PDB file of all heavy atoms in Angstrom:
ATOM      1  N   ASN A  11     -66.262  11.465   7.655  1.00 43.00           N
ATOM      2  CA  ASN A  11     -67.388  10.468   7.616  1.00 43.00           C
ATOM      3  C   ASN A  11     -67.003   9.144   8.068  1.00 43.00           C
ATOM      4  O   ASN A  11     -67.731   8.167   7.624  1.00 43.00           O
ATOM      5  CB  ASN A  11     -67.908  10.572   6.221  1.00 43.00           C
ATOM      6  CG  ASN A  11     -68.426  11.906   5.795  1.00 43.00           C
ATOM      7  OD1 ASN A  11     -69.109  12.568   6.644  1.00 43.00           O
ATOM      8  ND2 ASN A  11     -68.105  12.310   4.513  1.00 43.00           N
ATOM      9  N   ASP A  19     -55.400   7.740  14.667  1.00 49.00           N
ATOM     10  CA  ASP A  19     -54.903   6.397  14.357  1.00 49.00           C
ATOM     11  C   ASP A  19     -53.798   6.305  13.304  1.00 49.00           C
ATOM     12  O   ASP A  19     -53.120   5.306  13.163  1.00 49.00           O
ATOM     13  CB  ASP A  19     -56.118   5.580  13.725  1.00 49.00           C
ATOM     14  CG  ASP A  19     -57.221   5.344  14.745  1.00 49.00           C
ATOM     15  OD1 ASP A  19     -56.901   5.222  15.899  1.00 49.00           O
ATOM     16  OD2 ASP A  19     -58.402   5.314  14.340  1.00 49.00           O
ATOM     17  N   SER A  44      -5.485  14.585 -27.543  1.00 97.00           N
ATOM     18  CA  SER A  44      -5.641  14.940 -28.957  1.00 97.00           C
ATOM     19  C   SER A  44      -6.803  15.911 -29.208  1.00 97.00           C
ATOM     20  O   SER A  44      -6.679  16.820 -30.040  1.00 97.00           O
ATOM     21  CB  SER A  44      -5.871  13.698 -29.825  1.00 97.00           C
ATOM     22  OG  SER A  44      -7.028  13.007 -29.395  1.00 97.00           O
ATOM     23  N   ILE A  96     -13.610  39.353 -19.427  1.00 87.00           N
ATOM     24  CA  ILE A  96     -12.272  39.027 -19.072  1.00 87.00           C
ATOM     25  C   ILE A  96     -11.266  40.002 -19.892  1.00 87.00           C
ATOM     26  O   ILE A  96     -10.258  40.473 -19.251  1.00 87.00           O
ATOM     27  CB  ILE A  96     -11.928  37.595 -19.398  1.00 87.00           C
ATOM     28  CG1 ILE A  96     -12.869  36.583 -18.705  1.00 87.00           C
ATOM     29  CG2 ILE A  96     -10.433  37.286 -19.189  1.00 87.00           C
ATOM     30  CD1 ILE A  96     -12.652  35.236 -19.075  1.00 87.00           C
ATOM     31  N   ARG A 100      -8.434  42.524 -18.198  1.00 84.00           N
ATOM     32  CA  ARG A 100      -7.089  42.509 -18.544  1.00 84.00           C
ATOM     33  C   ARG A 100      -6.583  43.932 -19.122  1.00 84.00           C
ATOM     34  O   ARG A 100      -5.449  44.316 -18.883  1.00 84.00           O
ATOM     35  CB  ARG A 100      -6.805  41.428 -19.558  1.00 84.00           C
ATOM     36  CG  ARG A 100      -6.926  40.088 -18.998  1.00 84.00           C
ATOM     37  CD  ARG A 100      -6.640  38.974 -20.000  1.00 84.00           C
ATOM     38  NE  ARG A 100      -6.786  37.636 -19.344  1.00 84.00           N
ATOM     39  CZ  ARG A 100      -6.665  36.486 -20.038  1.00 84.00           C
ATOM     40  NH1 ARG A 100      -6.256  36.469 -21.287  1.00 84.00           N
ATOM     41  NH2 ARG A 100      -6.769  35.351 -19.454  1.00 84.00           N
ATOM     42  N   LEU A 169      -2.394  41.326   6.503  1.00 95.00           N
ATOM     43  CA  LEU A 169      -1.653  40.499   7.471  1.00 95.00           C
ATOM     44  C   LEU A 169      -0.445  39.892   6.783  1.00 95.00           C
ATOM     45  O   LEU A 169       0.567  39.847   7.364  1.00 95.00           O
ATOM     46  CB  LEU A 169      -2.511  39.333   7.957  1.00 95.00           C
ATOM     47  CG  LEU A 169      -1.930  38.280   8.931  1.00 95.00           C
ATOM     48  CD1 LEU A 169      -1.460  38.990  10.246  1.00 95.00           C
ATOM     49  CD2 LEU A 169      -2.967  37.316   9.299  1.00 95.00           C
ATOM     50  N   ALA A 180      13.599  42.112  10.382  1.00 82.00           N
ATOM     51  CA  ALA A 180      14.457  41.184  11.100  1.00 82.00           C
ATOM     52  C   ALA A 180      15.888  40.967  10.276  1.00 82.00           C
ATOM     53  O   ALA A 180      16.907  41.004  10.922  1.00 82.00           O
ATOM     54  CB  ALA A 180      13.859  39.818  11.288  1.00 82.00           C
ATOM     55  N   TYR A 182      17.157  43.059   8.120  1.00 78.00           N
ATOM     56  CA  TYR A 182      17.818  44.301   8.083  1.00 78.00           C
ATOM     57  C   TYR A 182      18.569  44.524   9.478  1.00 78.00           C
ATOM     58  O   TYR A 182      19.734  45.075   9.448  1.00 78.00           O
ATOM     59  CB  TYR A 182      16.848  45.477   7.876  1.00 78.00           C
ATOM     60  CG  TYR A 182      17.574  46.844   7.804  1.00 78.00           C
ATOM     61  CD1 TYR A 182      18.192  47.311   6.683  1.00 78.00           C
ATOM     62  CD2 TYR A 182      17.387  47.756   8.865  1.00 78.00           C
ATOM     63  CE1 TYR A 182      18.810  48.550   6.636  1.00 78.00           C
ATOM     64  CE2 TYR A 182      17.969  48.979   8.798  1.00 78.00           C
ATOM     65  CZ  TYR A 182      18.686  49.377   7.707  1.00 78.00           C
ATOM     66  OH  TYR A 182      19.289  50.595   7.643  1.00 78.00           O
ATOM     67  N   ASP A 191      26.558  39.737   7.301  1.00 64.00           N
ATOM     68  CA  ASP A 191      25.377  39.971   6.287  1.00 64.00           C
ATOM     69  C   ASP A 191      24.831  38.677   5.877  1.00 64.00           C
ATOM     70  O   ASP A 191      23.637  38.633   5.507  1.00 64.00           O
ATOM     71  CB  ASP A 191      26.029  40.624   5.091  1.00 64.00           C
ATOM     72  CG  ASP A 191      26.374  42.080   5.421  1.00 64.00           C
ATOM     73  OD1 ASP A 191      25.987  42.512   6.511  1.00 64.00           O
ATOM     74  OD2 ASP A 191      27.052  42.785   4.609  1.00 64.00           O
ATOM     75  N   ILE A 200      14.862  32.306   5.044  1.00 82.00           N
ATOM     76  CA  ILE A 200      14.087  31.312   5.946  1.00 82.00           C
ATOM     77  C   ILE A 200      12.737  31.874   6.263  1.00 82.00           C
ATOM     78  O   ILE A 200      11.729  31.190   6.209  1.00 82.00           O
ATOM     79  CB  ILE A 200      14.929  31.028   7.083  1.00 82.00           C
ATOM     80  CG1 ILE A 200      16.128  30.132   6.783  1.00 82.00           C
ATOM     81  CG2 ILE A 200      14.053  30.153   8.119  1.00 82.00           C
ATOM     82  CD1 ILE A 200      17.071  29.990   7.937  1.00 82.00           C
ATOM     83  N   PRO A 244       7.931  16.774   1.688  1.00 87.00           N
ATOM     84  CA  PRO A 244       8.719  16.668   0.463  1.00 87.00           C
ATOM     85  C   PRO A 244      10.143  17.159   0.605  1.00 87.00           C
ATOM     86  O   PRO A 244      11.153  16.522   0.187  1.00 87.00           O
ATOM     87  CB  PRO A 244       7.943  17.486  -0.541  1.00 87.00           C
ATOM     88  CG  PRO A 244       6.551  17.494  -0.049  1.00 87.00           C
ATOM     89  CD  PRO A 244       6.740  17.621   1.446  1.00 87.00           C
ATOM     90  N   ILE A 323       3.528  12.181 -12.330  1.00 96.00           N
ATOM     91  CA  ILE A 323       2.773  12.772 -13.488  1.00 96.00           C
ATOM     92  C   ILE A 323       3.271  14.206 -13.810  1.00 96.00           C
ATOM     93  O   ILE A 323       3.603  14.519 -14.943  1.00 96.00           O
ATOM     94  CB  ILE A 323       1.278  12.659 -13.300  1.00 96.00           C
ATOM     95  CG1 ILE A 323       0.747  11.268 -13.274  1.00 96.00           C
ATOM     96  CG2 ILE A 323       0.521  13.532 -14.376  1.00 96.00           C
ATOM     97  CD1 ILE A 323      -0.711  11.121 -12.938  1.00 96.00           C
ATOM     98  N   ARG A 336       7.184  22.407 -25.703  1.00 95.00           N
ATOM     99  CA  ARG A 336       5.915  22.811 -25.186  1.00 95.00           C
ATOM    100  C   ARG A 336       4.777  22.171 -25.973  1.00 95.00           C
ATOM    101  O   ARG A 336       3.556  22.393 -25.664  1.00 95.00           O
ATOM    102  CB  ARG A 336       5.735  24.376 -25.175  1.00 95.00           C
ATOM    103  CG  ARG A 336       6.617  25.081 -24.239  1.00 95.00           C
ATOM    104  CD  ARG A 336       6.222  26.498 -24.019  1.00 95.00           C
ATOM    105  NE  ARG A 336       5.073  26.602 -23.217  1.00 95.00           N
ATOM    106  CZ  ARG A 336       4.936  26.537 -21.965  1.00 95.00           C
ATOM    107  NH1 ARG A 336       6.041  26.400 -21.199  1.00 95.00           N
ATOM    108  NH2 ARG A 336       3.859  26.704 -21.269  1.00 95.00           N
ATOM    109  N   PRO A 340      -0.839  20.293 -24.067  1.00 98.00           N
ATOM    110  CA  PRO A 340      -2.261  19.740 -23.954  1.00 98.00           C
ATOM    111  C   PRO A 340      -2.396  18.402 -23.279  1.00 98.00           C
ATOM    112  O   PRO A 340      -3.276  18.167 -22.452  1.00 98.00           O
ATOM    113  CB  PRO A 340      -2.757  19.782 -25.378  1.00 98.00           C
ATOM    114  CG  PRO A 340      -1.843  20.630 -26.173  1.00 98.00           C
ATOM    115  CD  PRO A 340      -0.567  20.489 -25.391  1.00 98.00           C
ATOM    116  N   TYR A 359     -24.672  11.448   3.054  1.00 78.00           N
ATOM    117  CA  TYR A 359     -25.725  10.572   3.646  1.00 78.00           C
ATOM    118  C   TYR A 359     -27.073  10.958   3.089  1.00 78.00           C
ATOM    119  O   TYR A 359     -28.075  10.392   3.474  1.00 78.00           O
ATOM    120  CB  TYR A 359     -25.666  10.699   5.129  1.00 78.00           C
ATOM    121  CG  TYR A 359     -24.580   9.905   5.704  1.00 78.00           C
ATOM    122  CD1 TYR A 359     -23.338  10.474   6.021  1.00 78.00           C
ATOM    123  CD2 TYR A 359     -24.729   8.561   6.068  1.00 78.00           C
ATOM    124  CE1 TYR A 359     -22.212   9.746   6.536  1.00 78.00           C
ATOM    125  CE2 TYR A 359     -23.645   7.755   6.604  1.00 78.00           C
ATOM    126  CZ  TYR A 359     -22.424   8.413   6.885  1.00 78.00           C
ATOM    127  OH  TYR A 359     -21.439   7.707   7.292  1.00 78.00           O
ATOM    128  N   SER A 374     -31.684  38.156  -9.796  1.00 42.00           N
ATOM    129  CA  SER A 374     -32.387  39.243 -10.533  1.00 42.00           C
ATOM    130  C   SER A 374     -31.498  39.753 -11.660  1.00 42.00           C
ATOM    131  O   SER A 374     -30.306  39.660 -11.549  1.00 42.00           O
ATOM    132  CB  SER A 374     -32.826  40.322  -9.436  1.00 42.00           C
ATOM    133  OG  SER A 374     -31.574  40.988  -9.086  1.00 42.00           O
TER     134      SER A 374
END
Side-chain angles (χ1 to χ4, degrees):
N11 298 320
D19 292 329
S44 56
I96 301 176
R100 292 182 180 180
L169 182 59
Y182 180 79
D191 288 352
I200 294 172
I323 292 173
R336 300 191 67 84
Y359 283 93
S374 69

